[in-house]
DNA sequence: ACAAAAGTGTTGAGAGTACACCCATGC
DNA sequence: GCATGGGTGTACTCTCAACACTTTTGT
């Protein structure tokens, strides 16, 4: 059924020795939706993958950097660019994809929900947000990747202010605290939280106040332009 | 000059879209030699690489896990197995290797120098230890990988007791402290160091004492068997 | 007895945690 | 004027850093 054509390969071609693995990137795209930490999953149209949700991913182009591939996968599903992404870990167990050998470099991305326009592209039958606390069964080893991504996200919150990447451009400290509480699944003390976040020195007041809803209007903050670079340089570990 | 043969490929084959990158692992192998932190480098016999030292590395076999490939590269150069290895980061800039597209998953390894028997294997013209504080010019982006590996190693020392991986099976606390001081390039307080290391609870006394040299004999310690697993689970971050 | 390295405790500073009340606004 | 969420300070605990003398052995 599959039609074929011929190409030239070196005389000493030996599939078992020189076959190359496929290389993909898979991106755990986090966002805050309705007071819940959610992740964007896709379902492929073709069998035999129609039954499992999977992380958005793509093959790495032959002249494309890994970061570019990750950002392309991200933009393809969400329409957003210029958000926080970071390489996580590379998964390469020989049998992780039953079809063929695939090595995948995992990334995580933090996107403000207000910026997202989920898109169903060619090859996908569906794209949807799922709570990380109530995930469906995932394809391949993607459950492991999500767990790793979530652990890393929580860890980063402890010693950086990366949380604001999930919020709109301007936000109140209460909104930021709520984001942290959702991700860490624990209550935080308001005074201690504010002291800690402000001590990082990466937020600045806009001078404006939020005046919807009830109660006293809250000061609006934005993060300094150089905050992203600063957070990224503190990656290390793992 | 190159002879060719033909194989079948799918009809829709499109080199620019489906060509696969090569995938390698490169290993930063650290050891302590003569009160210095050193790293094992190789020089390839073939031109045009005869002029640069490079990290030991290898292609990832089509049915081989990434960890297995890293350990194979390690055993190939040093003869050691079962030492501490950990995946670091994956480097994939399109032009990092001028010959062809190569994505490399970097690892670091900590080996006790007493266990190493450096070996010159096929393809190598030379294998040698170099101080990480005085490196020659390296091939590709290997200088960047070494810098990353060293940063990670130092970071891990701050919150784990991974340093004993560089020492023989049994060692004194003074020897362990010296290892830390060399890696971190700073003096440490003896009492604070001992309190901190022992508080991890991963060392145990052997009951023996070291009786060479002068002065009071020092207690010998070993690390608990489960210490490696414990250190590994604390990887995360970056 | 002396040289040489091992071993051991206490104090002070700073970071992190727990905790309760007043303030500005809309209705 | 009251309901709603915003904003603020202090005391306690624990971790980390600084610091000097005694002990055990070989010669």
């Amino acid at each position: 059924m599959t039609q074929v054509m011929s190409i030239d390969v070196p005389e000493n071609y030996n599939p078992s020795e020189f076959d190359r693995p496929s290389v993909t990137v898979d991106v755990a795209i986090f966002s805050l939706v309705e007071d819940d930490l959610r992740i964007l999953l896709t379902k492929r149209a073709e069998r035999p993958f129609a039954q499992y949700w999977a992380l958005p991913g793509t093959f790495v182009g032959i002249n494309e950097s890994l970061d570019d591939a990750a950002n392309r996968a991200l933009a393809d599903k969400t329409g957003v660019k210029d958000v926080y992404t970071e390489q996580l870990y590379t998964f390469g167990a020989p049998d992780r994809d039953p079809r063929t050998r695939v090595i995948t470099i995992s990334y995580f991305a933090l996107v403000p929900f207000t910026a997202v326009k989920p898109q169903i592209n060619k090859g996908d039958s569906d794209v949807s947000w799922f709570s990380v606390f109530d995930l469906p069964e995932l394809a391949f080893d993607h459950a492991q990747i999500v767990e790793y991504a979530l652990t890393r996200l929580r860890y980063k919150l402890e010693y950086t202010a990366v949380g604001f990447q999930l919020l709109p451009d301007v936000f109140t400290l209460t909104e930021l605290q709520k984001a942290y509480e959702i991700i860490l699944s624990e209550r935080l003390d308001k005074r201690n939280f504010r002291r800690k976040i402000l001590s990082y020195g990466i937020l600045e007041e806009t001078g404006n106040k939020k005046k919807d809803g009830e109660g006293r209007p809250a000061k609006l903050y934005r993060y300094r332009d150089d905050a992203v670079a600063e957070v990224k340089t503190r990656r290390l570990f793992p």
Side-chain angles (χ1 to χ4, degrees), chain A residues 43-174:
Chain A
K43 205 177 243 186
R44 305 286 291 180
E46 315 116 48
R47 290 170 56 80
F49 309 104
Q51 56 189 322
Y52 294 118
W53 291 92
L55 293 173
T58 184
F59 285 90
V60 176
I62 194 66
N63 286 311
E64 182 180 45
S65 76
L66 304 177
D67 288 359
D68 286 350
N71 282 298
R72 180 167 55 81
L74 178 65
D76 198 45
K77 303 292 188 237
T78 64
V80 299
K81 285 184 274 196
D82 301 322
V83 297
Y84 186 84
T85 59
E86 186 179 305
Q87 191 192 112
L88 284 176
Y89 196 78
T90 299
F91 294 84
D95 58 352
R96 58 178 292 280
D97 185 325
R99 294 166 296 177
T100 181
R101 181 69 190 281
V102 181
I103 292 169
T104 194
I105 298 114
S106 60
Y107 277 76
F108 79 158
L110 303 181
V111 302
F113 189 64
T114 51
V116 179
K117 309 176 202 65
Q119 304 169 4
I120 295 180
N121 287 58
K122 62 173 161 41
D124 297 326
S125 68
D126 211 349
V127 175
S128 185
W129 292 97
F130 288 84
S131 171
V132 298
F133 307 111
D134 185 22
L135 288 173
E137 190 175 5
L138 300 185
F140 315 127
D141 52 3
H142 286 188
Q144 189 187 352
I145 297 176
V146 172
E147 187 189 342
Y148 187 90
L150 181 57
T151 304
R152 178 96 137 241
L153 172 58
R154 284 177 168 163
Y155 195 92
K156 279 198 91 88
L157 287 189
E158 300 288 347
Y159 68 104
T160 72
V162 78
F164 55 73
Q165 301 285 345
L166 289 160
L167 298 175
D169 282 353
V170 298
F171 49 86
T172 68
L173 290 182
T174 300

Side-chain angles (χ1 to χ4, degrees), chain A residues 19-70:
Chain A
D19 264 7
R20 292 176 180 177
S22 297
V23 181
T24 63
V25 293
D26 286 311
V27 189
I29 305 171
F30 291 101
S31 195
L32 288 169
V33 193
E34 295 169 8
D35 289 345
D36 189 19
L37 181 64
R38 298 194 185 167
I39 195 167
L40 196 68
L41 298 175
T42 71
K43 205 177 243 186
R44 305 286 291 180
E46 315 116 48
R47 290 170 56 80
F49 309 104
Q51 56 189 322
Y52 294 118
W53 291 92
L55 293 173
T58 184
F59 285 90
V60 176
I62 194 66
N63 286 311
E64 182 180 45
S65 76
L66 304 177
D67 288 359
D68 286 350

